Amino acid sequence: MTATLSTIVRPVGTKRFGAGLWTFTACWARITRYFGHRAAIAQLRELDDGALQDMGLVRSQIEAAVHGFMTTPNWARM
């Protein structure tokens, strides 16, 4: 019952490819999310104050709303 090191441990080359692919995928997701947020912010800034008020926003809250830092109010408590 002998085993060599090459059968127990995976070669380093196969580990690096998966890490590189994961890094590329994570970077690509971050880039697409950034440009998606920028487009949403630009579209919301084009709206007038009345349209923003209908959505429950004011101009100073646009970026926070796009990035998901705002929660919707609990209308049942009001």
Side-chain angles (χ1 to χ4, degrees), residues 50-69:
L52 288 173
Q53 187 177 7
D54 288 344
M55 290 185 268
L57 293 174
V58 293
R59 292 217 176 265
S60 62
Q61 296 174 329
I62 289 176
E63 289 196 30
V66 169
H67 292 290
F69 296 132

Side-chain angles (χ1 to χ4, degrees), residues 4-37:
T4 62
L5 187 59
S6 64
T7 60
I8 297 172
V9 179
R10 211 190 284 176
V12 175
T14 59
K15 290 181 183 178
R16 287 187 184 177
F17 177 74
L21 183 61
W22 180 87
T23 303
F24 175 77
T25 304
C27 290
W28 184 256
R30 179 68 179 111
I31 290 169
T32 57
R33 188 171 43 245
Y34 172 80
F35 283 111
H37 285 169

